[in-house]
Amino acid sequence: MEQFLSQFIGTTGFIAMTWGQLLMLVVSCVLLYLGIARGFEPLLLVPIAFGMLLANLPMSGITDPPKDNLVGGLIYYLYQGVKLGIYPPLIFLGIGAMTDFAPLIANPWSLLLGAAAQLGIFIPFIAAYYLGFDLKSCGSIGIIGGADGPTAIFVTSRLKPELLGPIAIAAYSYMALVPLIQPPIMKALTTKKERLVRMAQLREVSKAERIIFPIFVTLLIGLLLPAAVPLVGSLMLGNLFRETGVTERLSDTAQHALINTLTIFLGVSVGSTASAERFLNPQTLEIIALGLFAFSCGTAGGVIFGKIMYWVTGGKVNPLIGSAGVSAVPVAARVSQVVGSKEDPTNFLLMHAMGPNVAGVIGSAVAAGVLLSVLN
Amino acid sequence: MEQFLSQFIGTTGFIAMTWGQLLMLVVSCVLLYLGIARGFEPLLLVPIAFGMLLANLPMSGITDPPKDNLVGGLIYYLYQGVKLGIYPPLIFLGIGAMTDFAPLIANPWSLLLGAAAQLGIFIPFIAAYYLGFDLKSCGSIGIIGGADGPTAIFVTSRLKPELLGPIAIAAYSYMALVPLIQPPIMKALTTKKERLVRMAQLREVSKAERIIFPIFVTLLIGLLLPAAVPLVGSLMLGNLFRETGVTERLSDTAQHALINTLTIFLGVSVGSTASAERFLNPQTLEIIALGLFAFSCGTAGGVIFGKIMYWVTGGKVNPLIGSAGVSAVPVAARVSQVVGSKEDPTNFLLMHAMGPNVAGVIGSAVAAGVLLSVLN
Amino acid sequence: MEQFLSQFIGTTGFIAMTWGQLLMLVVSCVLLYLGIARGFEPLLLVPIAFGMLLANLPMSGITDPPKDNLVGGLIYYLYQGVKLGIYPPLIFLGIGAMTDFAPLIANPWSLLLGAAAQLGIFIPFIAAYYLGFDLKSCGSIGIIGGADGPTAIFVTSRLKPELLGPIAIAAYSYMALVPLIQPPIMKALTTKKERLVRMAQLREVSKAERIIFPIFVTLLIGLLLPAAVPLVGSLMLGNLFRETGVTERLSDTAQHALINTLTIFLGVSVGSTASAERFLNPQTLEIIALGLFAFSCGTAGGVIFGKIMYWVTGGKVNPLIGSAGVSAVPVAARVSQVVGSKEDPTNFLLMHAMGPNVAGVIGSAVAAGVLLSVLN
Amino acid sequence: MTNPWMIMVVGTMTVFIALFVMILFLLGFPKLFAILKRKEHESLAPLPQIVEVTKRTAPSASQIASAPSSSLQDESLIAVLTAAVAAASGSSAGSFAITNVQQAQPEVGGGFNTPVWGRIERLSRK
Amino acid sequence: MTNPWMIMVVGTMTVFIALFVMILFLLGFPKLFAILKRKEHESLAPLPQIVEVTKRTAPSASQIASAPSSSLQDESLIAVLTAAVAAASGSSAGSFAITNVQQAQPEVGGGFNTPVWGRIERLSRK
Amino acid sequence: MTNPWMIMVVGTMTVFIALFVMILFLLGFPKLFAILKRKEHESLAPLPQIVEVTKRTAPSASQIASAPSSSLQDESLIAVLTAAVAAASGSSAGSFAITNVQQAQPEVGGGFNTPVWGRIERLSRK
Ligand code: NA
Ligand code: NA
Ligand code: NA
């Protein structure tokens, strides 16, 4: 009986657990807390944190690959959709079906703000290089600054899958923290006069323009930067479903059943890559720090370019909308609104900030294409 | 810098693009126009055309198979569901859940019209043979006359996957063109007296009959023609979900989330097979011409058999409902109604035409089974 | 022509059909009748029976694996999700999103009833051993007593896939028959006085408790019994989506589109394993008998433990709620209510029975973990 | 088969034969269901009483909706499975299956009060 | 490319170039669509009559909603596919495609009464 | 383990042990949450003011709903991640992690005005 008891305890996970795994279980519980109680991007952070929790329960075999004639674990199979680059573009399909590009079509110049905010990708890329990361890791770290979950996961899964855990967690956490990260930078870089600028009302956008836009963007980006096609093409196909008026069925499924299912699968799989041995090393610390640096650079890039547009247009552009160029749709646009309304509660910047905001999604996808084509 | 610029331009798709690809991009834009602005089967034609567009953007790699330790492109993976014959039967599951077979149960003789319209498969089969196509291509071309997207794609993916692009495009385009193709043939083959026939009201169909019908059809067709089981079985399982009254959940998902998701995947994958090198050759021209011929033969077959039934029944059957036997549900049935109501605006043929219309789906699936078992 | 006709008939399934297949077709029609007309767990039994029907149509090839350069049949591919253990946990995700654990949190002691009812797994396990089954088969047979479809299928697919057909059919059929199987046992084992016990109202459960519960259960079971992680973890992740209040989108998809789609795939695949050669042998008979024995043991175990709790608490627990510990949610809980209300129509046991009822799901998953870790 | 005309003839004939057989069955549907309907009416007769029992538990009546409304044929599942398997595995085939199903019916009796598993177990012990 | 500064410059430039080209096109959108709108108005002129025909079949009008409302350009699909393929497979490329589409339009005429396939077949017989 | 009785005993015991441990924890739930609730009330005190600020931007208030309502603990994520990683990679394990989290809290202060990344970067530069 004694022998049996010791044998029984041996089959439990308690004995096999390492300190690292215990620590990771604590981290995943904290992430769950932040996702649920504090509302940090819960749709992604809850599955990611739960995947992390499952992957760090010792001996469950839930992430094991198939071996001999034993089948693999559940998350091993779910993870294939990340590894093969299937989930992120299909999630982009749903995001496209949920995105309204009209503010961008109405004010094309806001694309420049979406471009400028991509400094949040390339400056940390350089920084990571001088901290000793190899180029592929640098690309994966830089893409955090794109402030776009699926893009970050897509690029990392192709360049440096080992880093998926920390990069996804950093990306989604900082997206949730955008209301904390951006305001001080925005205030530091702008004058009160600039923050008080009121912008002209946007023109109306016709249905035909909304339909042509995704086709045209796919053609343009597809020809300029072939490596961006999976992301941009999917985003635009989803948007086309949304705008045609005759494919509502497809748009509806893309933005509900399909994106929700894949979000669960993606979140759990990505979270599961954050096993103790992979996650708990000094690199992760650096990645988390660089991720925050990336968001700050992106914000600064957008705001500074916003100031340039302020000067060029003779004060018609409020530089606060520049920070929305980091994407993190729609949180970053709301931050522009909040910061602007602190100076003047009757100034509504939200719609003007949506232009750079969605431009940032396209900008990051283009930057992702550059990184993939150059580093792969 | 000069060197860099030339290098940069070299990585864009502009240089790599062939005239064929440019042409295909134009074709895909035209198809998008027809799908969106003209409402040509947009649920399929929009994804197909977009898949075509994506596949013809040079160097995007979105249709590339995996190579060495590089993963494949998105559409390569989506395409596996076509290649393995998974999407079409599952789409049929959804179609079955959306189809009401009551008009057929109420008037079983309309099955003969659904059978006669399959001449639209077998006559073009012969025609293709004498134009020099090999037998498998003939089968794939003939199946266009089935006027049933999933059936055509299923058969072609098993007999001649190289032809998927033109055959799917032809099938869906002509299905959208049915209101143009059929009326002149219908009028040419019928007399005014025939077109004025009013048909007796259909009897009511009990719930039990609706439930037994799909089980019975599966058994019968399954035993007569085993190769038709994937298509007929799936169609009937979907219909069973619809009719039991206790599996609404399954019926609902089959006709929404499931069919919409797979329609997107199927459309994009099938469209992607229409690459310039495959699509732009004289065969495609012949296939498109033969497809139109097929639809015309099917219409004529149905109408002529309708005339036979008119004679046999002493004028109780309006031959105009015969053309609905080509399937193309429910457009072909509407055409019968429209043509009939031109002679007599108070004559309602729609419900009577729905019988041959859904019979045509079964008929094509049976014909598909014959072609698969004989040619594979 | 004569030769042709004989050749034609040779390609039909009529000739190839064995008596076994004919018998299986009859059985599948009976199962369809029971599922549809009698409402026996129709959501599972209809797909299972239809899968059985399709698999027993001779020569359809719908369950054939790929061979040379021929692709496999539809159900072969759908079956991979069973074989690789993917469907059952994901179905549990949906079940978790549909389950309210509050009655269990309010009355934790009901977990003991859920534990006691697992005798329905281990006693038939022994019985099967002495009937000559090998240990893996014994485990698969015992798990029928868990009264939990996905658990039974998950365990059997890993221990003894050959038995999937009879075990799934037995599990789902007896779950539907619970209102017939349990009452006589419940009455035989309890006195009238016991059946008349009224239980104190349950306390309210706060939102925080509902959120912590799934996380805590995953950690506890995950550490105690790693092999139960795929089932328990998925169940609890689904429940977490339900309770957070910020992941409604994910909960909604998990309990509709996702679970419905996978239920169709699972049902058809599992049904297809019931081919004549596999299903029609004396073992199946024994399995069906043992399955009924298992349900009876589980019921008895729960009721007897309920009696113990009745004695220990001095008559505060109505032993009738013990039978709900077999799971078979929510049918078994309803049976407790019905049997109780026969003695006293004003006694409402339903909510009290829901505690052991959902505890039974956790208990079976734990038992499944034991069997998998010990026998695999 | 490599002659296209042959394929055409076979194909067209198969379609017509298959759909014609379907017609024959469908023409029989109305009569078949008229008979079934009559039978159903008869077998449904004893139901009301049980429904009444369920109704008395008024407050949760809606929740108990899935309880079986008639127990007369509820054993048929087990009976049929048993019979089918017995038929196939035993030496005497076909006819035994059907006989047994018929045999099982009269034994049923009270439904709720006659445990089904008693009989099944007896069969398996054999 | 292994120089990180080079990558940064290329990357930033590419993003700006791509998005700037997009701006140029988008700035042209309002004018482009103003022209398209005018054209649309013209081409829509003959429609009402056909709509009326459909309306006369009043009771099932809603069900017939998907019937095409204009037949003037409905042949464009076949014309374009034909042209595209012809262009690519024939010796004379590019320009032929576009010419042919233009050529096809006037031939159309009555829409409903002029079978499209006649022309297509003629082309394929060539 | 190949002795079926042994498996039965182990299995039954495991189920009972697992579910019994669960009971013990669940019995502690009401007390645990009573404590948590009190704490929550305290930490929620400063909230109203910030909510008011948000409310003043009236027209788009509903759209800004997802803005964080309290900044007091918003840095906890970074703090915990940092601590966890530092704990594991540094030589001094376990205890350091927890100490550090405690250490981080008082530094927070103004929330919106004290950039979190300052501290993080300092840590990573080390
Ligand atoms: Na971005
Ligand atoms: Na057809
Ligand atoms: Na159970």
Side-chain angles (χ1 to χ4, degrees), chain B residues 4 8 23 27 30-31 33-34 38 40 173-174 177 179-180 184 280-282 284-285 288-289 292 296 334 337-338 341-342 348 350, chain E residues 6 10 14 53 57 59-60 63-64 66 68 70-71 73-74 76-78 80-82 84-85 87-89 97 112 116-117 120 124:
Chain B
F4 155 70
F8 170 76
L23 205 54
V27 170
V30 172
L31 287 176
Y33 169 76
L34 293 172
R38 315 307 310 266
F40 280 24
S173 303
Y174 292 132
L177 289 173
L180 283 185
L280 296 174
N281 61 55
T284 301
L285 204 66
I288 288 168
L292 188 54
S296 308
R334 283 181 196 144
Q337 160 73 16
V338 168
S341 67
K342 271 197 187 156
F348 303 121
L350 192 68
Chain E
M6 195 68 174
V10 171
T14 308
V53 167
T57 72
S60 44
Q63 286 171 300
I64 309 168
S66 80
S70 155
S71 56
Q73 286 169 300
D74 281 336
S76 43
L77 167 66
I78 302 160
V80 167
L81 291 180
T82 306
V85 176
S89 50
F112 257 22
V116 180
W117 51 271
I120 293 294
S124 71

Side-chain angles (χ1 to χ4, degrees), chain F residues 46-123:
Chain F
L47 258 179
Q49 285 183 312
I50 295 170
V51 170
E52 211 182 358
V53 168
T54 316
K55 264 187 184 159
R56 250 182 269 147
T57 70
S60 45
S62 68
Q63 286 170 300
I64 308 168
S66 81
S69 48
S70 154
S71 55
L72 212 66
Q73 287 170 300
D74 280 336
E75 301 195 355
S76 44
L77 167 68
I78 300 160
V80 167
L81 291 181
T82 306
V85 176
S89 51
S91 48
S92 63
S95 66
F96 175 68
I98 293 146
T99 321
N100 196 15
V101 176
Q102 307 291 16
Q103 225 177 350
Q105 233 70 316
E107 250 186 74
V108 178
F112 257 24
N113 297 312
T114 309
V116 179
W117 51 271
R119 182 157 16 86
I120 294 293
E121 220 189 6
R122 257 174 281 142
L123 270 169

Side-chain angles (χ1 to χ4, degrees), chain B residues 118 146 325-327 360-361 364:
Chain B
Q118 305 319 316
V326 298
S327 27
V361 179
S364 302

Side-chain angles (χ1 to χ4, degrees), chain A residues 118 145-148 325-328 360-361 363-364:
Chain A
Q118 304 319 317
D148 227 319
V326 298
S327 23
V361 179
S364 303

Side-chain angles (χ1 to χ4, degrees), chain A residues 245-267:
Chain A
V246 288
T247 48
E248 258 169 68
R249 282 180 73 100
L250 305 182
S251 168
D252 179 63
T253 293
Q255 54 183 297
H256 293 105
L258 185 58
I259 196 174
N260 293 345
T261 303
L262 296 184
T263 297
I264 297 173
F265 292 178
L266 178 91

Side-chain angles (χ1 to χ4, degrees), chain B residues 11 24 35 53 57 66 126 147 159 168 176 195 206 258 260 304 336 357:
Chain B
T11 67
M24 289 308 290
L53 190 153
L57 289 172
I126 296 286
L159 292 182
R195 292 199 293 272
S206 72
L258 185 57
N260 293 346
I304 290 168
S336 298
N357 210 196

